[in-house]
Amino acid sequence: MGTEDREQARTLTGKTALITGAGTGIGRETALLLAEEGATVVLVGRRRHVLDDVAATVTGNGGTALTRPTHIENAEDVRALVAWTRDTAGPVDILVNNAGGAGRVVDVRWTGEDEWNAVMGVNLTAVYLLTQAVLPDMLERGGGSIITISSLAAIRPTLLGGAPYGAAKAGVRNFMAYLRNSYRDEGVRATCILPGAVDTPVHDTRAVPPGPEQRAAMVRPEDVARAVLLCASLPERTLIEELVIAPTAQRHP
C-alpha cells in the first residue's frame, strides 16, 4: 500500500479532535490513536511541558498535534480555546471530554465545599462549557462527535472515588443523554464511556492508593483509548450511546 493509499485508509483524516486531560493516561493514549488515524489532535491540559511531550511523540510518529494549556472550568478560557482551535486547525469535529479527578476526602461527612466544587468543576462543569463552545460549529456543519469519559462510579458509587466524583460522573452521563436526545437528528453524536478502575496517575492522589497487584488487574488507558477511537471512527450513520468497560477479573489479587 502506497503513502496515498495509507492516508486514504485512515478513518479520521481531515478531522480535528480536541482532547482534554491529554497529557497522561487515557487522554495521552487517545491522542496517539486518533492522530495515528489521521486526526489533527489539539492537546489540552494544565501543564504545557507534559502536553509538549505528547505532541512530540505524535509528530515523531508522523501525526499533527497542537497544545493549549487551559483551565477548562473557566468559561472565558474555554471560549478562547475553541476559537483558537477553529482559527489554527479548523472547527472541532471530535470533542473528547477526558479530564477529571477525584477529591482526597472520601467520606462526605468531611468533604469541604471547596473540594466539592473543584471536583464538580473539572468533571462536570468543564464538559458543559466545552460542549456549549463546540456545538454551534457542529450544528452548522451538520455533525460531530462528543465523547465523554464518565466512570462506573456514576452507577456504582463507592468510597473509593468519593461523593462528589460519583455525583459528577453521573451528571455527565445524564448530560450526554440530553445531548443525544436533543441533537442526534442534526448529526451530533454524544457518547458516554463508563470505565471501571483504570490504571492512571489519578490513583496516586487517592487517600489509599492501590498497590501494584491491584493496578495490574485494572483496565489500561490504551483500552479506553481504543473505545474512544471506535466511537469516533464509526460511519456517521452509527452512534454508540454508552459503553461500559470493566476489568475482566472481579476480585483483585
Side-chain angles (χ1 to χ4, degrees):
M1 182 182 290
T3 301
E4 184 176 345
D5 292 332
R6 284 198 302 272
E7 185 65 27
Q8 291 177 347
R10 293 178 176 179
T11 57
L12 300 179
T13 297
K15 303 291 187 182
T16 298
L18 192 156
I19 304 161
T20 67
T24 61
I26 295 170
R28 179 185 186 278
E29 298 302 325
T30 296
L32 297 179
L33 275 184
L34 298 192
E36 186 177 324
E37 283 299 315
T40 295
V41 292
V42 179
L43 312 177
V44 180
R46 293 188 176 182
R47 297 173 294 169
R48 180 178 289 278
H49 72 280
V50 177
L51 298 176
D52 287 345
D53 286 346
V54 180
T57 301
V58 169
T59 56
N61 292 336
T64 302
L66 306 170
T67 61
R68 178 83 172 191
T70 304
H71 287 274
I72 55 174
E73 307 95 318
N74 181 282
E76 185 175 339
D77 286 0
V78 167
R79 287 192 292 268
L81 163 68
V82 172
W84 175 83
T85 299
R86 185 189 304 112
D87 293 341
T88 307
V92 175
D93 299 291
I94 303 162
L95 170 62
V96 182
N97 292 305
N98 166 70
R104 288 184 173 272
V105 180
V106 297
D107 192 318
V108 72
R109 291 175 294 175
W110 298 291
T111 300
E113 186 176 353
D114 287 346
E115 180 167 306
W116 179 277
N117 290 336
V119 174
M120 286 291 172
V122 69
N123 291 286
L124 179 57
T125 303
V127 175
Y128 141 70
L129 292 173
L130 285 155
T131 298
Q132 189 178 60
V134 304
L135 258 179
D137 284 335
M138 289 186 176
L139 292 171
E140 181 179 340
R141 302 171 77 221
S145 295
I146 299 173
I147 302 166
T148 296
I149 309 301
S150 177
S151 168
L152 276 180
I155 51 180
R156 303 173 194 166
T158 67
L159 278 175
L160 179 62
Y165 181 78
K169 291 303 188 181
V172 293
R173 183 188 185 210
N174 182 280
F175 185 51
M176 288 300 104
Y178 163 84
L179 293 177
R180 284 194 300 275
N181 293 338
S182 299
Y183 301 111
R184 65 193 303 161
D185 289 340
E186 282 70 51
V188 176
R189 302 186 296 185
T191 298
C192 188
I193 297 178
L194 297 91
V198 181
D199 185 13
T200 67
V202 72
H203 289 292
D204 297 333
T205 66
R206 297 202 185 279
V208 182
E213 291 186 341
Q214 288 178 299
R215 285 181 181 255
M218 293 179 180
V219 173
R220 297 289 299 170
E222 55 266 34
D223 304 337
V224 183
R226 289 177 65 182
V228 174
L229 175 61
L230 171 65
C231 296
S233 61
L234 281 172
E236 293 179 358
R237 64 178 178 268
T238 304
L239 162 68
I240 295 178
E241 296 185 353
E242 283 194 354
L243 188 58
V244 173
I245 304 174
T248 299
Q250 292 299 299
R251 293 183 179 178
H252 290 168

